[in-house]
Amino acid sequence: LYQLKSLIYLVVIAWVVAVVNFGLLGKALNQLGLAPRRLIGLPGILISPFLHADWQHLEGNTVFYLIFGGLVFLRDPSDFGAITGAIALISGAVLWLLGRPGIYVGASDVIFGYIGFLLSFAYFDRNLSSVLVLIITIMLVVFTQRFGHTLWLIMPIRKGMAWDGHLIGLLTGILVARHLLTLKGWFDQLIDSLNQLGS
């Protein structure tokens, strides 16, 4: 139940931020996005997934997040927090180091991290449930009208698109799939430590 709440809360936070950012602040919060190789852009590693360029950007990311984040959740709800946290932190850090000049906003690196995870985890896990999730993911990103173009977005085919963030996210998802047990152990230790501080 806690992990399901996390899946929903992340969407709710992004929409609340958008209402404030677009409706009240004229998109001023987007200046807090991820700015590669600038100290002021470091907090953007954590903040940028909740910031979006416009309503269309947010709506598109919400659909992708719920579909592919939902598949990550369905595979094993207890892994969802560790997978999401690891993808967000690792892909954000790499993008801060290697990204192009500018400011990155949006959850695309996390979403593509989910896709990379879903496409690769069955290879490392060799479990029937992981294979079934792999098949569903392939059907979505190859054969459906809505998502069939997804993997093309890791290449610079559209002006103004953060294709490098997509590519870094996808590769991060594969990395997380390979080292999930270790990352989940670290995540559980972090949650335990936070719970102890809270009590």
Side-chain angles (χ1 to χ4, degrees):
L1 184 59
Y2 168 77
Q3 302 290 2
L4 180 59
K5 287 181 179 179
S6 299
L7 177 71
I8 302 302
Y9 285 165
L10 292 175
V11 173
V12 171
I13 291 170
W15 278 85
V16 170
V17 169
V19 169
V20 175
N21 192 24
F22 300 157
L24 301 177
L25 301 178
K27 300 184 181 180
L29 290 181
N30 284 0
Q31 296 302 311
L32 300 176
L34 191 158
R37 294 170 301 283
R38 296 174 58 193
L39 288 179
I40 197 172
L42 271 175
I45 293 173
L46 296 176
I47 299 171
S48 63
F50 299 104
L51 301 171
H52 290 82
D54 50 40
W55 289 112
Q56 184 179 7
H57 186 205
L58 174 60
E59 290 165 7
N61 271 2
T62 298
V63 173
F64 273 70
Y65 170 78
L66 289 175
I67 295 295
F68 296 107
L71 285 173
V72 170
F73 177 85
L74 287 174
R75 190 203 62 81
D76 189 337
S78 67
D79 290 343
F80 179 76
I83 293 168
T84 301
I87 289 173
L89 289 174
I90 296 171
S91 65
V94 173
L95 189 58
W96 185 84
L97 288 170
L98 303 178
R100 294 167 294 158
I103 298 177
Y104 291 78
V105 295
S108 296
D109 56 336
V110 176
I111 292 166
F112 274 82
Y114 287 153
I115 294 171
F117 178 89
L118 293 165
L119 289 174
S120 61
F121 188 72
Y123 174 80
F124 303 113
D125 186 47
R126 311 294 173 93
N127 183 281
L128 179 59
S129 63
S130 298
V131 173
L132 291 175
V133 169
L134 169 63
I135 293 170
I136 294 171
T137 305
I138 290 173
M139 290 177 65
L140 284 171
V141 300
V142 176
F143 298 111
T144 63
Q145 184 175 359
R146 172 80 192 217
F147 303 106
H149 67 291
T150 302
L151 292 181
W152 290 104
L153 300 180
I154 63 173
M155 295 183 287
I157 60 173
R158 187 183 303 167
K159 187 176 181 180
M161 181 185 68
W163 65 270
D164 46 348
H166 301 167
L167 177 59
I168 288 169
L170 187 79
L171 296 175
T172 300
I174 297 171
L175 178 71
V176 170
R178 172 66 179 85
H179 298 285
L180 179 59
L181 287 179
T182 300
L183 292 168
K184 190 172 185 299
W186 293 347
F187 179 81
D188 290 342
Q189 289 177 8
L190 175 62
I191 295 299
D192 289 342
S193 298
L194 292 175
N195 287 334
Q196 289 175 11
L197 286 174
S199 60

